Amino acid sequence: MSISINNTDSALKLLLAFVPEAEKELSVAAVADQLSQLDLDGQKVEGTNSIAQLIAAKYNSPLAGQTDSDQAEISQWMTMSSRHGPSERQIFAQTINESLVGKTYLVSNSITLADLIAFANVHAFMESLSAQKRFNWNNFSRWFDLVQHSVSAEALAKAGLKLVAINLNAPVPVKKQQAAPAAKGDKAAAA
């Protein structure tokens, strides 16, 4: 059983580090210029999402979802995450922010593949956001911070990701300077 992971596929690298049983059992190779591939018990699969779903199902079923409904929703989030390339990350971040009103994770009440894959795919985007933008997207920022702290620092490093410092406190408002009141002589001259 082997897996070839594209050098830029931080999502699969993160998943393998998050599921140590898979990392121990699979022969892992880094590849460039091709899709990530998994050979699992004679079954060959290509692509991040398909591989992630197979790994989660084989080694860690809670990540794959507990119900058919959860599994379908996880698949939808993973597909959305992969379709929103780097230039469309803002739209995807807004979608996550709106979806997380009243929720902790993207699907169900615990971390799933949807969270791990989406997290890896928006990581660089989150790093680029200003403190004010992070505060404006408070649900997205809260979720991102929760996921990054649910994964070990070692797992982040293996995926080529780093901890992003997120301040969940409101930024200090910038006070606008008021115009100085007009002098008494100015009012008389204006009249």
Side-chain angles (χ1 to χ4, degrees), residues 77-90:
W77 277 108
M78 290 171 58
T79 300
M80 255 194 299
S81 175
S82 64
R83 285 188 180 159
H84 287 83
S87 63
E88 299 167 318
R89 292 291 184 225
Q90 181 171 339

Side-chain angles (χ1 to χ4, degrees), residues 3 15 25 59 63 67 75 77 101 105-106 111 133 172 188:
I3 186 168
L15 176 62
E25 189 173 315
Y59 297 100
L63 282 177
T67 66
S75 182
W77 277 108
V101 173
Y105 296 99
L106 295 175
I111 197 166
K133 189 64 126 176
V172 177

Side-chain angles (χ1 to χ4, degrees), residues 9-168:
D9 196 341
S10 58
L12 277 181
K13 292 175 188 176
L14 182 63
L15 176 62
L16 279 183
F18 194 79
V19 182
E21 304 86 24
E23 189 176 36
K24 289 176 188 172
E25 189 173 315
L26 293 170
S27 170
V28 180
V31 295
D33 301 328
Q34 71 181 48
L35 287 174
S36 296
Q37 295 181 325
L38 172 69
D39 183 353
L40 187 64
D41 301 326
Q43 182 181 12
K44 291 189 185 233
V45 178
E46 284 188 345
T48 301
N49 293 351
S50 298
I51 293 170
Q53 288 172 321
L54 275 175
I55 289 173
K58 179 170 174 67
Y59 297 100
N60 190 331
S61 60
L63 282 177
Q66 298 295 324
T67 66
D68 289 344
S69 176
D70 285 351
Q71 291 169 2
E73 195 173 349
I74 289 167
S75 182
Q76 288 174 336
W77 277 108
M78 290 171 58
T79 300
M80 255 194 299
S81 175
S82 64
R83 285 188 180 159
H84 287 83
S87 63
E88 299 167 318
R89 292 291 184 225
Q90 181 171 339
I91 296 167
F92 186 59
Q94 287 173 326
T95 302
I96 291 173
N97 190 62
E98 292 165 8
S99 169
L100 289 171
V101 173
K103 291 172 47 178
T104 303
Y105 296 99
L106 295 175
V107 180
S108 79
N109 294 319
S110 61
I111 197 166
T112 65
L113 282 176
D115 298 293
L116 290 176
I117 301 300
F119 168 82
N121 286 334
V122 298
H123 187 275
F125 177 74
M126 176 57 96
E127 283 182 310
S128 72
L129 290 179
S130 68
Q132 182 63 50
K133 189 64 126 176
R134 289 178 186 170
F135 179 74
N136 291 344
W137 289 346
N138 56 337
N139 296 319
F140 173 68
S141 296
R142 173 188 44 81
W143 165 82
F144 184 93
D145 200 44
L146 175 63
V147 173
Q148 79 174 349
H149 284 94
S150 298
V151 177
S152 71
E154 181 183 351
L156 286 173
K158 285 182 179 180
L161 306 173
K162 61 183 180 179
L163 199 63
V164 177
I166 296 178
N167 183 353
L168 297 176

